[in-house]
Amino acid sequence: GDSVTQMEGPVTLSEEAFLTINCTYTATGYPSLFWYVQYPGEGLQLLLKATKADDKGSNKGFEATYRKETTSFHLEKGSVQVSDSAVYFCALSEKSNYQLIWGAGTKLIIKP
Amino acid sequence: DGGITQSPKYLFRKEGQNVTLSCEQNLNHDAMYWYRQDPGQGLRLIYYSQIVNDFQKGDIAEGYSVSREKKESFPLTVTSAQKNPTAFYLCASSITGTGVYEQYFGPGTRLTVT
């Protein structure tokens, strides 16, 4: 079945560092891919998405490119801030199934 | 503003009592979902509903029940049969039928059972 694998956390970086959180997936079809962010004690917010190969999703300085050849959707940001500290979830949905398949989440800690 | 509301934000109950968590959405979404999140863990699907008066069990439905009498509402009851009910509960909704199914989440309800 479909699955999503994220790099284990926590990921700890200094402010202004470059961020990469890896996400790879297994899917039978051509899924849509998502990154969600969860701040402490809150619900999840959609951060960005991509619906077909080579699409780049972007929001709030974060980017991720849908790479079909490597089945990846890595999250990147050029210069992180303390306020980016949160848990990040990668997810996919197949066109034939409206449920989301979730990664385990990666906790990001940014130190000033 | 459109969105999902969950109430209350914090809920405390004694062991052996049933408790119902509220979830309401005004996004006109057909599908709604309940997830459970334990500290430092990911999301586990409890129940989901694609349409009014229809719902399906997710991965961890034992000890929970739901109803979907209105499109806007999807309440979750945590019964006394749930062995370890203390957790953070998240409700979500999405459209169906377009092929791109991002989910929108409420703020969550933190349930503590002692």
Side-chain angles (χ1 to χ4, degrees):
Chain A
D2 293 359
S3 66
V4 175
T5 302
Q6 293 182 230
M7 63 190 293
E8 281 194 31
V11 173
T12 304
L13 296 172
S14 296
E15 206 165 19
E16 299 184 3
F18 185 87
L19 168 70
T20 300
I21 299 178
N22 290 339
C23 172
T24 57
Y25 67 90
T26 302
T28 53
Y30 300 92
S32 297
L33 301 171
F34 308 91
W35 276 103
Y36 282 80
V37 59
Q38 184 180 32
Y39 299 103
E42 298 184 7
L44 278 69
Q45 301 173 26
L46 178 65
L47 183 58
L48 53 84
K49 68 180 180 183
T51 59
K52 60 183 187 297
D54 300 324
D55 265 2
K56 177 185 282 189
S58 61
N59 186 25
K60 300 180 181 180
F62 291 90
E63 293 182 339
T65 301
Y66 187 162
R67 302 283 189 203
K68 185 170 178 296
E69 62 276 13
T70 54
T71 62
S72 65
F73 192 55
H74 304 323
L75 183 68
E76 297 181 335
K77 187 176 185 186
S79 176
V80 292
Q81 306 301 313
V82 172
S83 57
D84 294 326
S85 298
V87 179
Y88 293 81
F89 290 92
C90 185
L92 71 81
S93 72
E94 295 270 24
K95 288 180 175 54
S96 58
N97 187 346
Y98 57 92
Q99 293 182 54
L100 291 186
I101 306 298
W102 295 92
T106 302
K107 184 173 184 177
L108 174 66
I109 301 170
I110 306 300
K111 297 189 172 181
Chain B
D1 283 340
I4 300 178
T5 56
Q6 291 185 244
S7 60
K9 190 167 178 61
Y10 299 95
L11 192 52
F12 299 88
R13 281 294 183 268
K14 294 291 187 186
E15 203 171 307
Q17 294 179 335
N18 291 355
V19 58
T20 297
L21 282 60
S22 167
C23 177
E24 303 277 335
Q25 56 101 355
N26 61 4
L27 299 168
N28 200 32
H29 287 169
D30 286 314
M32 297 187 74
Y33 313 80
W34 274 105
Y35 292 94
R36 171 179 171 140
Q37 188 177 33
D38 291 289
Q41 303 298 310
L43 302 177
R44 292 189 288 171
L45 183 65
I46 304 172
Y47 268 98
Y48 61 100
S49 168
Q50 188 179 6
I51 198 168
V52 173
N53 292 324
D54 186 51
F55 47 83
Q56 287 79 42
K57 294 181 180 180
D59 301 318
I60 56 163
E62 185 175 348
Y64 300 98
S65 66
V66 294
S67 63
R68 186 89 186 274
E69 297 176 2
K70 298 187 302 181
K71 186 175 183 177
E72 302 80 16
S73 179
F74 191 42
L76 173 74
T77 297
V78 184
T79 75
S80 56
Q82 169 49 234
K83 290 182 172 43
N84 185 16
T86 294
F88 189 49
Y89 291 89
L90 289 159
C91 180
S93 70
S94 75
I95 57 173
T96 60
T98 66
V100 182
Y101 305 123
E102 65 251 42
Q103 293 180 10
Y104 295 84
F105 283 79
T109 292
R110 189 168 299 281
L111 174 64
T112 302
V113 177
T114 57

